[in-house]
Amino acid sequence: MNIVLLSGGSGKRLWPLSNDIRSKQFIKLFKDENEAYESMVQRVFKQIKHADQDATITIATSKSQISSIHHQLGEQMNISLEPVRKDTFPAIVLATAYLRDVLGLSEDEVVIICPVDPYVDDMYFEALQELHLLANSDVANLVLMGIEPTYPSEKYGYILPTDDSKISFVQSFKEKPSTEIAQKYISQGALWNSGVFAYKIGYVLKKARELMDFTDYQDLFGRYADLEKISFDYAVVEKEEDIAVMRYRGEWKDLGTWNTLTEVMDEQTVGKVYKNADCGNTHVINELDIPVLCMGVKDVVIAASPEGILISDKEQSSYIKPYVEKMTDRVMFAEKSWGSFKIIDIKDESLTIKVTLMAEHRMNYHCHQHRDEVWTVLSGTGHVILDEEILAIRAGDVVKIPAYCKHTVVAYTELEMIEVQIGKDITIEDKIKYEFPTEM
């Protein structure tokens, strides 16, 4: 199978664990077979490979998520990068052109588009294989996966099929309705629109050229900023007459809020958490190094991270987005391709960060114009390069880096450091990257 995972999200509904860099799909809250925590994207990636070891997986995403993807899935992941954020139609067209022009797939190859973060079991991926076969057999230009509803939801659009067969043609689409209207749709046999569909590469590229002027992937990438923001549903799906839907009855959950996420968590507590016996239906996720103690609270979710602390009734937790949007604080934690960082202190003319590098990884070779830095090694071994001079480092060493000094750090083992940035104008934009010295 050729699968494109759409990875977007602004990180608002699962604050404070998510932010503009770490969207919900990168939060590690699920336990794998080894009892280690994994994220939604790691879980889905593993499930795809279990269903089809030879599957070609491409993630369509924006620049802000690249580091998290590399950190969790590895450096060799296929990525279709949006130069700027657009809606799903430009993103899917760009990913489709990427498959043809970069990965070399034929226009007769089938592509399956999926959200990156559904909570599903293995039956879902067996259904994707069936969806692939249907699209490959030309049953229709587009083949959708419709989820059999379990309740009248206001959160999803609805697909009205022509009959109640497992595979049928589509009669019409309905926007997200009220609960009463949703119940009416369900009584007529409607399905939830899961955002999962399959098509042949040539079909989408042909449709795209009817609306866009481009020749190939590189040309489209260069013009991307000027493209119209438009959804794939509006640009293609709702206008396509030759369209079929496959009914899916297995487990499928959209974990878009704390309320829905806690329903599928393996444990009620993550991190340093203490609760007395009078607590009930209370989930606590603590990413801080200090303990959280709960006494007698019921039907509550508590989440603590370097970004902030949420204490909410579970039902009310679905409505936090407008409040989070008012917050303008800087990102306090992020995963990078080389490891992670956590801001631990902010002053007018200094910023203190705990940096963790994974073994056998390195930062970019770079310099800053408006700040000095001091690195104090807490644990691990490696070396730094300062203006092409190599210095070995270990726990207890202190490295002083003046402005304009080209520098990087290379970890032999996992390496932890405290980085203190000192200057009157400390910004993330103050960074000049250089080619890594070849002799290094």
Side-chain angles (χ1 to χ4, degrees):
M1 292 187 291
N2 302 307
I3 296 179
V4 172
L5 299 174
L6 299 181
S7 181
S10 58
K12 300 291 191 295
R13 289 187 174 88
L14 292 180
W15 183 89
L17 266 60
S18 61
N19 55 42
D20 287 339
I21 294 176
R22 184 171 68 157
S23 296
K24 65 179 181 179
Q25 56 264 35
F26 302 113
I27 304 172
K28 295 182 180 180
L29 293 177
F30 306 102
K31 283 198 169 180
D32 64 13
E33 62 276 5
N34 299 316
E35 294 296 300
Y37 286 105
E38 64 181 359
S39 67
M40 299 182 202
V41 69
Q42 288 173 317
R43 187 175 186 269
V44 166
F45 183 86
K46 183 174 64 179
Q47 287 175 307
I48 293 172
K49 285 298 187 180
H50 178 73
D52 181 1
Q53 188 174 357
D54 298 322
T56 298
I57 304 172
T58 301
I59 297 185
T61 190
S62 60
K63 186 177 180 180
S64 65
Q65 295 188 2
I66 295 293
S67 291
S68 292
I69 291 168
H70 284 159
H71 180 92
Q72 295 196 1
L73 299 179
E75 295 284 345
Q76 304 306 312
M77 191 69 221
N78 297 323
I79 295 177
S80 173
L81 173 64
E82 278 193 285
V84 294
R85 281 190 173 183
K86 296 286 183 177
D87 211 325
T88 51
F89 179 60
I92 288 170
V93 173
L94 187 68
T96 305
Y98 174 89
L99 293 178
R100 187 194 66 176
D101 299 329
V102 178
L103 299 188
L105 300 185
S106 160
E107 291 197 1
D108 290 328
E109 291 267 10
V110 170
V111 179
I112 302 173
I113 302 293
C114 303
V116 74
D117 53 7
Y119 188 83
V120 292
D121 57 18
D122 291 341
M123 183 178 170
Y124 172 86
F125 298 96
E126 294 169 5
L128 292 188
Q129 292 178 313
E130 189 174 352
L131 199 71
H132 178 276
L133 293 174
L134 288 169
N136 195 50
S137 66
D138 295 318
V139 67
N141 287 331
L142 273 173
V143 186
L144 315 180
M145 179 188 286
I147 309 297
E148 194 148 286
T150 54
Y151 66 97
S153 174
E154 301 176 355
K155 297 192 301 181
Y156 311 119
Y158 285 76
I159 303 168
L160 281 171
T162 54
D163 56 52
D164 60 359
S165 304
K166 183 175 182 180
I167 318 303
S168 61
F169 287 99
V170 173
Q171 177 180 316
S172 62
F173 295 92
K174 302 296 182 181
E175 296 294 332
K176 298 176 183 179
S178 65
T179 301
E180 287 185 5
I181 295 177
Q183 185 62 63
K184 177 183 175 182
Y185 292 158
I186 292 172
S187 68
Q188 296 171 351
L191 306 169
W192 284 338
N193 189 346
S194 65
V196 177
F197 50 91
Y199 57 81
K200 289 188 175 179
I201 288 176
Y203 165 77
V204 160
L205 293 181
K206 180 182 177 182
K207 285 289 183 183
R209 288 196 177 94
E210 294 174 3
L211 299 172
M212 305 173 180
D213 179 22
F214 71 99
T215 56
D216 57 16
Y217 170 77
Q218 289 297 338
D219 184 40
L220 182 61
F221 188 90
R223 298 169 181 257
Y224 201 82
D226 298 325
L227 298 180
E228 179 186 2
K229 281 189 175 184
I230 183 172
S231 72
F232 191 85
D233 281 353
Y234 184 77
V236 178
V237 177
E238 294 175 10
K239 295 178 172 62
E240 177 58 59
E241 295 181 357
D242 187 15
I243 185 168
V245 61
M246 183 183 79
R247 186 180 296 266
Y248 177 68
R249 294 182 171 89
E251 183 178 33
W252 181 87
K253 290 183 178 179
D254 176 20
L255 307 183
T257 65
W258 278 114
N259 198 21
T260 55
L261 179 62
T262 54
E263 289 176 358
V264 300
M265 285 178 58
D266 299 305
E267 302 170 312
Q268 287 199 346
T269 62
V270 177
K272 293 183 179 180
V273 178
Y274 301 90
K275 298 195 300 183
N276 74 347
D278 293 327
C279 292
N281 190 31
T282 291
H283 284 75
V284 188
I285 302 94
N286 181 17
E287 291 190 334
L288 302 177
D289 295 326
I290 56 177
V292 171
L293 171 62
C294 301
M295 305 291 288
V297 290
K298 295 176 174 60
D299 301 320
V300 167
V301 58
I302 300 171
S305 84
E307 306 290 331
I309 298 172
L310 170 72
I311 303 170
S312 174
D313 170 81
K314 285 193 173 179
E315 289 296 328
Q316 290 296 312
S317 68
S318 301
Y319 308 109
I320 67 172
K321 184 177 180 180
Y323 299 92
V324 177
E325 287 176 337
K326 296 176 183 178
M327 302 177 189
T328 58
D329 297 334
R330 68 164 69 225
V331 170
M332 301 293 286
F333 173 85
E335 290 180 331
K336 308 293 286 183
S337 58
W338 42 259
S340 64
F341 72 81
K342 178 170 65 174
I343 295 175
I344 56 180
D345 188 63
I346 301 173
K347 294 288 190 297
D348 289 341
E349 296 186 9
S350 71
L351 190 68
T352 304
I353 305 170
K354 183 177 181 182
V355 175
T356 303
L357 276 85
M358 296 183 291
E360 300 181 355
H361 283 70
R362 70 189 188 195
M363 290 184 182
N364 292 318
Y365 193 45
H366 63 283
C367 81
H368 310 288
Q369 294 178 300
H370 304 293
R371 69 175 185 255
D372 302 330
E373 292 184 348
V374 179
W375 293 351
T376 302
V377 182
L378 302 178
S379 65
T381 59
H383 71 257
V384 296
I385 304 174
L386 305 179
D387 283 333
E388 302 190 11
E389 179 184 0
I390 299 176
L391 299 172
I393 56 171
R394 61 182 181 180
D397 287 342
V398 177
V399 181
K400 296 182 178 180
I401 306 166
Y404 293 97
C405 174
K406 299 176 186 177
H407 61 279
T408 187
V409 58
V410 179
Y412 303 157
T413 64
E414 181 177 272
L415 188 65
E416 291 187 322
M417 307 187 304
I418 295 294
E419 174 183 301
V420 181
Q421 302 175 4
I422 304 167
K424 292 184 179 180
D425 187 16
I426 299 174
T427 66
I428 59 174
E429 290 79 20
D430 179 21
K431 186 174 186 178
I432 303 173
K433 295 181 182 180
Y434 299 94
E435 290 291 329
F436 207 86
T438 54
E439 65 270 21
M440 302 300 176

